[in-house]
Amino acid sequence: MFLNGAGCVIINLLFIEMEIITIITFIFVLVVLLFSIVIHELAHGSVAYSLGDPTAKYAGRLTLNPLKHLDPIGSVFLPIVLLLLALKTGSWIVIGWAKPVPVNPYNFKDKKYGDIKVSLAGPASNLLLAVFFGLILRFMPQEIFINNQGILLALSYIVSINIWLAIFNLIPIPPLDGSWVLFSFLPQRFQNIKVFLRQYGFAILMFLIIFGGLRWFWVISDFLFYLITGF
């Protein structure tokens, strides 16, 4: 009886420890994701402002203050639900978003390429973050990682998350940034395609995510991670 009881105690302690690790990892990934999205949105607004559109500035969105960007559903409610599911199932996925930065393209000095510049600014900011922290990961002495696995893991998460954000947002399906690039190049005779994608884009995107239609996404992200970090 004593051995059985001791075994139960050990199992319970291990379970509690795994819960703590899951919570800490989840919160860290969520914080990195949200700040990366904030920088993404700030990049949109900053480029729009440089092109003559002050809409984001007047809305108080040209700031790194996350409180100005948080979305009640995408930044608070959904992450909490996903954390509870992670604790229950032992496997987790982190999804979140911030409020889009308001942009008025009619204010752009560059009427021809303004939309494209603003749209690409977000993914470009995430790619720059990935490169910055990825180069730290590549050139930091390996002895530091051997003695501090947490640093290796933290930098890997930062690089991976920003690569994912950059690639994912370039998918040419609304409401992602890639759709604005696509629409800028589509001739007027393809107006029906624009209308269709704007109407059903989100549903198409969810279908692709749920049924594995974005497997190529992981191949590209893994390749870029290796290219930047050498791992």
Side-chain angles (χ1 to χ4, degrees):
M1 292 293 295
F2 177 79
L3 291 176
N4 290 336
C8 289
V9 170
I10 291 173
I11 291 173
N12 288 336
L13 287 175
L14 287 174
F15 179 72
I16 292 172
E17 184 178 355
M18 286 303 296
E19 277 195 346
I20 294 173
I21 293 174
T22 299
I23 292 174
I24 293 174
T25 304
F26 188 96
I27 291 175
F28 176 79
V29 170
L30 178 61
V31 169
V32 171
L33 175 65
L34 290 179
F35 269 98
S36 299
I37 294 174
V38 166
I39 292 173
H40 179 106
E41 294 298 333
L42 177 60
H44 284 314
S46 298
V47 172
Y49 184 67
S50 72
L51 291 172
D53 176 31
T55 306
K57 182 180 181 180
Y58 292 159
R61 300 294 301 280
L62 295 186
T63 174
L64 286 172
N65 181 0
L67 296 179
K68 296 289 186 178
H69 299 277
L70 295 183
D71 179 86
I73 302 297
S75 307
V76 181
F77 176 74
L78 181 60
I80 291 175
V81 171
L82 292 174
L83 175 58
L84 295 176
L85 289 174
L87 295 176
K88 185 176 180 63
T89 64
S91 60
W92 50 271
I93 182 172
V94 180
I95 300 175
W97 60 82
K99 293 185 293 185
V101 167
V103 172
N104 185 352
Y106 292 105
N107 292 328
F108 292 163
K109 301 171 186 175
D110 184 353
K111 302 294 183 182
K112 187 174 183 180
Y113 297 111
D115 276 346
I116 298 176
K117 292 177 180 178
V118 173
S119 299
L120 292 178
S125 69
N126 293 127
L127 191 57
L128 287 174
L129 284 173
V131 170
F132 176 79
F133 286 100
L135 292 179
I136 294 177
L137 196 59
R138 175 185 282 269
F139 294 111
M140 185 176 287
Q142 298 300 307
E143 295 78 12
I144 296 178
F145 297 142
I146 294 174
N147 299 322
N148 300 276
Q149 290 292 314
I151 296 177
L152 174 62
L153 190 62
L155 289 174
S156 297
Y157 274 129
I158 294 172
V159 176
S160 295
I161 288 171
N162 278 281
I163 289 175
W164 296 339
L165 281 173
I167 299 174
F168 185 72
N169 277 282
L170 287 175
I171 297 174
I173 299 176
L176 302 178
D177 298 325
S179 64
W180 293 98
V181 178
L182 173 66
F183 293 164
S184 296
F185 286 108
L186 275 181
Q188 186 63 31
R189 64 178 179 274
F190 294 115
Q191 185 66 27
N192 289 339
I193 295 178
K194 296 181 183 179
V195 174
F196 176 81
L197 287 176
R198 282 176 176 147
Q199 187 172 359
Y200 300 105
F202 186 77
I204 294 172
L205 192 61
M206 289 299 100
F207 178 86
L208 291 174
I209 293 173
I210 293 172
F211 293 99
L214 300 178
R215 293 176 184 174
W216 57 269
F217 171 84
W218 305 109
V219 176
I220 297 175
S221 63
D222 288 344
F223 172 74
L224 288 177
F225 184 89
Y226 172 77
L227 193 66
I228 295 171
T229 67
F231 287 95

